Amino acid sequence: MNLTENMTVSERFVQQPLWLSLPLYGFVAPIVILLGSTLNAFVVMVLVRSKMRSPSHTLLVGMAVFDVLTGVCALPAFVYTYTLGTYHDYVPYVACLPLIISYDWLPTIFHTASIWTTTLLAIQRYLNISQRKVYTVRQMLYALLIILALATVVLSPRFAEFDLTPVEVESQLAEEPPRVLVSCAEKPAPWMTEFGDMYYTCMYWFRAICIHLLPCCLLGLLNGLIIHRMRQAERRKRRLLPELRSSRDESNAFNAQLSASSSSRQSENRSTWMLVVVVFMFLLVEFPLAIFFTLVVICNNHLTSVTVWSDDVKQIVGLIVNFLIILSCPFNFFIYCGMSRQFRDEFWVIMGRHVALSAARCRRTTLNTSVLSQPPVDSVESDEHEKLPLDQTTIPLVISNGDAL
């Protein structure tokens, strides 16, 4: 099929300028995604242990899973387009839809779920310290499923924005004679011809407000309120602690009870401060993205004619902001290790068990190899051995762990 007026060859997989997108997406991003996925896998392994289960930790597990899926889904598109160097030419038709799903659709859904999960985490923690509302792990699991389903439903119209049509084009590579290949052309879906302007206005303003701006504003407000509540509680504790000690006998039972209560509050406070830092680091990368996306919507709105920047500046800023999202993926693991002693202890328990199991496997392999390499006893022939009756012959039995009976 040849190109018509309302069809364009898909070039959404290559972001300009190449001098910036090639090193960031082709080499740095795959390493960061693999590293972040590994560290977030450790986070999940630690937080799902029975000693670590709590409503807040359940949401942290959801954040880690959504962050991993955001990066892993985009990884095939990065490797295929930039690392393998296929950006020089048009994308083959059979690879168009998988690349669109990998590069655009799935990462957007999972990143939206990550944003909403972080917002829910801040809301849950604030209600916990301000009104002492306690939620269960089961409720948080249901909330994660609802968030993922809602993000999928909200963004599902993007799957039907256009149709992909095979089209024959000449290769962009310098070949003689020019090679003809079948690529993909994007043709607007039939319903887009009538409702396209209204759809893009509603969809992208919804994304700018409900997925980016509103969650970031809520997170900033809730983080400030949590910090205020924590400082109030600390001042109240300093004021009441001397009065409690002076109004009671200094008995051992009272001291033990006071020490246990104080230890429990300190552990809860450390967890709260850790979550505050997690939200703060999240805002450092998400708030610039919210501002950038809102400006893009304003500039591309058919109802306005505002020009904030040139196309080159917009592409460079978009590249950097999106890369910062990928770069922030491994940070939470180091925050948990640095601010939670319980997380560190459980992590080293898991790592110690894996090291011990690996060492045990190596020892068993070495023992089995050494036993199998020894010559069998009955290969040594002697006259006396031949004269022994069968019931007096010693027969070695080799069992699976390499011991001889």
Side-chain angles (χ1 to χ4, degrees):
M1 179 181 291
N2 296 324
L3 287 173
T4 59
E5 292 183 358
N6 59 346
M7 297 168 57
T8 56
V9 179
S10 180
E11 296 181 351
R12 65 169 67 218
F13 315 111
V14 182
Q15 292 196 17
Q16 301 293 338
L18 274 176
W19 61 265
L20 183 60
S21 62
L22 182 58
L24 289 185
Y25 287 166
F27 302 99
V28 182
I31 296 174
V32 174
I33 290 172
L34 293 177
L35 175 63
S37 300
T38 303
L39 295 179
N40 278 309
F42 288 145
V43 169
V44 174
M45 291 170 61
V46 172
L47 295 183
V48 297
R49 292 173 64 87
S50 57
K51 295 180 181 179
M52 300 291 291
R53 289 176 188 170
S54 70
S56 297
H57 289 173
T58 302
L59 295 179
L60 292 179
V61 169
M63 288 171 53
V65 172
F66 292 144
D67 287 343
V68 168
L69 293 175
T70 301
V72 169
C73 289
L75 184 60
F78 290 158
V79 172
Y80 178 84
T81 304
Y82 297 100
T83 308
L84 299 181
T86 59
Y87 60 88
H88 291 294
D89 206 352
Y90 292 114
V91 177
Y93 177 74
V94 294
C96 285
L97 184 59
L99 284 178
I100 292 174
I101 294 174
S102 171
Y103 183 77
D104 197 4
W105 291 347
L106 290 183
T108 304
I109 291 175
F110 291 126
H111 187 60
T112 300
S114 178
I115 293 173
W116 289 348
T117 303
T118 308
T119 307
L120 178 60
L121 174 66
I123 295 173
Q124 181 264 342
R125 199 61 181 180
Y126 175 73
L127 293 177
N128 180 259
I129 66 173
S130 63
Q131 303 179 14
R132 292 298 172 184
K133 283 194 173 183
V134 179
Y135 299 91
T136 64
V137 172
R138 184 184 295 272
Q139 288 174 329
M140 295 299 102
L141 287 174
Y142 287 152
L144 289 175
L145 293 177
I146 292 173
I147 285 174
L148 180 59
L150 188 60
T152 304
V153 170
V154 166
L155 297 172
S156 60
R158 300 194 65 208
F159 302 160
E161 289 178 356
F162 56 87
D163 298 325
L164 290 178
T165 305
V167 59
E168 292 184 352
V169 291
E170 289 189 0
S171 173
Q172 293 181 321
L173 301 178
E175 297 178 342
E176 291 295 338
R179 181 168 56 93
V180 176
L181 56 88
V182 179
S183 185
C184 53
E186 294 185 11
K187 179 181 179 181
W191 66 275
M192 288 291 292
T193 57
E194 184 176 355
F195 303 104
D197 291 339
M198 182 176 65
Y199 163 76
Y200 280 121
T201 300
C202 296
M203 169 61 75
Y204 284 91
W205 271 114
F206 174 83
R207 290 180 60 186
I209 295 173
C210 297
I211 297 179
H212 297 291
L213 282 178
L214 184 58
C216 286
C217 293
L218 279 175
L219 286 171
L221 176 62
L222 291 171
N223 234 24
L225 292 175
I226 290 174
I227 293 173
H228 178 67
R229 289 279 184 176
M230 294 289 290
R231 289 178 176 174
Q232 277 187 334
E234 188 66 25
R235 287 194 296 266
R236 190 182 306 114
K237 174 186 172 183
R238 292 175 182 174
R239 186 176 65 252
L240 294 179
L241 191 58
E243 298 177 5
L244 288 174
R245 287 178 174 173
S246 62
S247 63
R248 302 231 183 157
D249 296 331
E250 295 294 332
S251 61
N252 292 333
F254 173 70
N255 288 335
Q257 183 180 3
L258 187 64
S259 176
S261 177
S262 177
S263 176
S264 176
R265 284 196 302 269
Q266 288 178 359
S267 177
E268 184 178 351
N269 290 343
R270 283 196 298 268
S271 297
T272 302
W273 283 116
M274 182 186 72
L275 297 180
V276 167
V277 174
V278 168
V279 172
F280 178 76
M281 294 300 299
F282 181 85
L283 285 174
L284 279 182
V285 295
E286 287 296 334
F287 195 71
L289 175 61
I291 299 298
F292 171 76
F293 192 87
T294 305
L295 291 176
V296 170
V297 173
I298 293 174
C299 293
N300 293 341
N301 194 339
H302 71 282
L303 299 177
T304 61
S305 58
V306 179
T307 302
V308 179
W309 46 37
S310 64
D311 289 341
D312 293 338
V313 173
K314 182 182 73 173
Q315 290 170 345
I316 293 174
V317 174
L319 275 171
I320 295 174
V321 170
N322 287 330
F323 179 73
L324 289 178
I325 300 297
I326 299 172
L327 194 62
S328 65
C329 185
F331 285 169
N332 286 348
F333 173 82
F334 299 106
I335 294 174
Y336 303 153
C337 284
M339 300 189 66
S340 175
R341 180 179 178 181
Q342 187 181 14
F343 183 91
R344 290 195 303 271
D345 293 342
E346 294 297 324
F347 173 71
W348 288 120
V349 167
I350 292 175
M351 294 303 295
R353 288 182 178 178
H354 281 287
V355 171
L357 288 175
S358 300
R361 292 192 190 99
C362 291
R363 286 196 298 270
R364 285 197 296 268
T365 303
T366 304
L367 287 173
N368 290 335
T369 304
S370 63
V371 169
L372 292 175
S373 63
Q374 294 177 358
V377 176
D378 56 0
S379 65
V380 180
E381 299 180 358
S382 63
D383 294 337
E384 296 180 358
H385 181 73
E386 291 177 356
K387 295 177 182 179
L388 287 175
L390 181 62
D391 57 354
Q392 297 180 6
T393 305
T394 302
I395 302 176
L397 301 176
V398 179
I399 61 177
S400 61
N401 62 358
D403 297 330
L405 297 178

